[in-house]
Amino acid sequence: MSSSSAVLLSVDHLSPTPPEVRLLLICHAEGVQNRYSNLVQQIAPTADSGLTAFGWEQTSQLAHWLATHESIDVLYSAPLLQSRLTAQRIGQTLGLPVTIDDRIPGRFPPDLTLPAAWERSQRTIMHFDPPPVIAPESPYGIYLHSLIEEIEAIVQANWGKTVALVLSGNGVATTVRHFAGGHALSITVSHTAITELRRQDGLWTLVYANRREHLPVGTAPVQRQRMIATESADDGGEVAQDIAHVVATYARIPPQVGEHVNTQRRQRLQHLLRFAQLPKDISVLDVGAGIGDLSLLLAEEGAREVVGIDISPTMLEAAELMRLSSRSPAAARVSFRLAPAHALPFRDERFDAIICRLVLHHSHKPQLILNELARLLKHGGVLIVADLLSADDPVKRATQNAIEEKRNPSHVAVFSAEQYRKQIASAGLVIEAEQIATFERELDEWLDDMQTEPGARTVVREMIEAGLETDAAGLHARRQARTLVFDQRLFYVKAVKP
């Protein structure tokens, strides 16, 4: 054979010619319903749920792997919430818009069975009968036809491109069965696993299935956070360090199933909303959503849409558990996203109102956060800031910071009222109202909120007791019977974007 002769390959070898189209089928990340079986018993099996902490970690690992190993042209998602959140995280990392295709079906109903499945009692694989025709009106046939018809439309609209589609494991498995021409085989699909189908030389080829090298070995989630690409080069890595500290600190606090919220905590949130006086039927961003109780309260108070964002996967899992466990119809208007407050994946002027509660004290660069929130506000929109207020005395402020940091290692600094005013004005916002809110807190309850470790609890208690007579931290700490209490002061600001 001459050197110029073409090398003949069998149909099962990957051709060296460029593909006509590539289809990357990506299974969405782990959802709350996948983890909490008792929750599944309370709600419809096909209902939407957000992601677990592990699921958010999976999305980050997948997105970072795709950024370094793939070149994706267009990104689609099924309408299922798990799929949308996974796709949005990928799009956020790759800088791609996400097209939500409402016609792609989600999960199988729980009673759906595969047609012509082999008898479970038989051990043989010697089945050579031709596969049966799938009845289009059968439950499986309806699912199959609606799925393949929509994927066909996506492929035809993007011929010549690499298309990534995020959907359920049932969707991935059914697509593979369709291309294989047989529907008796059950196919296990792992969360965030990738399956590639490509058309090359006029033939469709399964290149790989259930690829998951982006995930760490083992099943336990790995708490890690990549440096955000939008950080400035001269910030000394402080933003990345702040994010890492928050993620690590709040990973220690396990999510709780149910909608139990401490009564005093709910009263504090309601106090803030009375100050805010937000109109009904608006779109609200809840920055630093935590366990999600403020987001749900905003929806109950009449917000048309509430998006809660947090950088802690553990907190987002807790928030989604609370949302799914809520009996309020307003919970359907709430969603949660993983994103850093200084670089949010939303278009300019996206929200009517933004609430930023107890976030700025976690950051070395609070101005970056406020500038970003100002970008997202519509003209005439309202920013509500509520954060820890320090004493004017710098010595007392330093003592307060030491106590706060011992209780919560992700704490950076408390600010004075004047510092908050300057930061908000520098973001181009006009202050309309402000208020100092003082809440009496029991020391043990305050420490319990963060599940502070025993050694740190002892140190915090000793620091507060040592300053009782001199009010060393400006907290007005005092004894009530056998209980230590102190004043937690928050500075409220209501500012408007001109």
Side-chain angles (χ1 to χ4, degrees), residues 161-477:
K161 299 179 181 179
T162 295
V163 181
L165 171 60
V166 182
L167 67 172
S168 69
N170 293 138
V172 175
T174 301
T175 304
V176 172
R177 281 190 288 265
H178 169 75
F179 277 89
H183 296 270
L185 182 65
S186 175
I187 301 174
T188 298
V189 180
S190 301
H191 290 123
T192 68
I194 311 168
T195 296
E196 181 181 345
L197 293 157
R198 69 169 64 174
R199 182 178 164 93
Q200 210 161 4
D201 298 330
L203 295 174
W204 278 99
T205 301
L206 175 64
V207 181
Y208 55 78
N210 216 39
R211 186 176 187 177
R212 36 183 226 153
E213 64 193 73
H214 56 278
L215 297 177
V217 176
T219 58
V222 176
Q223 296 288 354
R224 65 182 184 183
Q225 189 69 38
R226 193 181 71 144
M227 184 176 293
I228 305 300
T230 53
E231 291 175 25
S232 59
D234 59 353
D235 69 9
E238 287 179 322
V239 173
Q241 291 173 9
D242 291 342
I243 290 172
H245 288 157
V246 170
V247 171
T249 298
Y250 287 90
R252 298 186 295 102
I253 305 176
Q256 301 294 320
V257 179
E259 57 177 331
H260 168 74
V261 178
N262 180 280
T263 302
Q264 288 82 10
R265 176 181 171 85
R266 187 174 181 87
Q267 289 173 347
R268 292 193 293 271
L269 298 179
Q270 290 170 331
H271 185 274
L272 175 61
L273 293 187
R274 284 195 296 272
F275 165 80
Q277 291 294 299
L278 297 177
K280 299 182 185 300
D281 197 32
I282 62 173
S283 177
V284 184
L285 177 66
D286 179 14
V287 180
I291 62 173
D293 46 354
L294 178 57
S295 296
L296 290 167
L297 188 56
L298 284 162
E300 291 168 9
E301 292 288 324
R304 179 182 71 255
E305 172 200 27
V306 182
V307 180
I309 66 101
D310 207 290
I311 199 58
S312 165
T314 303
M315 289 294 99
L316 288 172
E317 179 174 332
E320 182 63 12
L321 280 170
M322 181 172 287
R323 187 187 75 84
L324 289 174
S325 302
S326 174
R327 298 179 181 87
S328 171
R333 302 197 299 273
V334 178
S335 63
F336 298 103
R337 296 277 298 273
L338 179 70
H342 75 285
L344 293 168
F346 305 109
R347 68 176 186 273
D348 293 357
E349 301 179 18
R350 167 70 169 78
F351 296 97
D352 299 301
I354 299 175
I355 294 188
C356 180
R357 179 180 180 273
L358 297 177
V359 171
L360 301 181
H361 74 97
H362 290 291
S363 177
H364 284 91
K365 302 286 184 179
Q367 194 65 58
L368 290 180
I369 295 174
L370 292 170
N371 292 346
E372 177 71 345
L373 302 187
R375 177 184 71 83
L376 299 179
L377 269 181
K378 296 177 181 178
H379 289 286
V382 175
L383 172 66
I384 304 296
V385 172
D387 221 306
L388 299 175
L389 181 63
S390 73
D392 291 330
D393 184 325
V395 176
K396 290 186 176 183
R397 185 185 307 158
T399 305
Q400 181 183 354
N401 275 324
I403 292 171
E404 293 279 357
E405 185 177 358
K406 200 66 183 175
R407 172 200 177 241
N408 183 342
S410 65
H411 171 80
V412 173
V414 289
F415 300 104
S416 68
E418 188 56 31
Q419 287 174 310
Y420 284 120
R421 294 186 190 106
K422 289 180 178 179
Q423 292 165 357
I424 291 169
S426 295
L429 304 175
V430 177
I431 295 176
E432 279 198 344
E434 59 183 55
Q435 178 182 330
I436 296 176
T438 303
F439 301 104
E440 183 178 87
R441 304 293 302 270
E442 292 185 3
L443 178 62
D444 288 333
E445 172 260 332
W446 182 63
L447 293 170
D448 288 343
D449 272 355
M450 283 300 301
Q451 299 188 20
T452 307
E453 296 173 350
R457 291 177 76 104
T458 300
V459 173
V460 169
R461 179 177 292 276
E462 290 174 348
M463 293 174 73
I464 290 180
E465 287 179 335
L468 284 176
E469 292 185 8
T470 60
D471 192 21
L475 299 174
H476 190 214

Side-chain angles (χ1 to χ4, degrees), residues 4-65:
S4 60
S5 300
V7 178
L8 297 179
L9 300 174
S10 77
V11 294
D12 289 330
H13 283 80
L14 198 60
S15 169
T17 59
E20 300 166 53
V21 65
R22 296 178 67 219
L23 181 61
L24 304 181
L25 302 174
I26 301 173
C27 179
H28 57 222
E30 180 188 76
V32 168
Q33 287 176 263
N34 302 118
R35 175 72 64 86
Y36 296 94
S37 57
N38 58 337
L39 186 64
V40 173
Q41 296 169 5
Q42 299 171 21
I43 59 179
T46 55
D48 265 353
S49 77
L51 305 181
T52 62
F54 189 22
W56 284 113
E57 288 294 330
Q58 289 175 323
T59 65
S60 294
Q61 291 153 0
L62 170 64
H64 299 156
W65 186 89

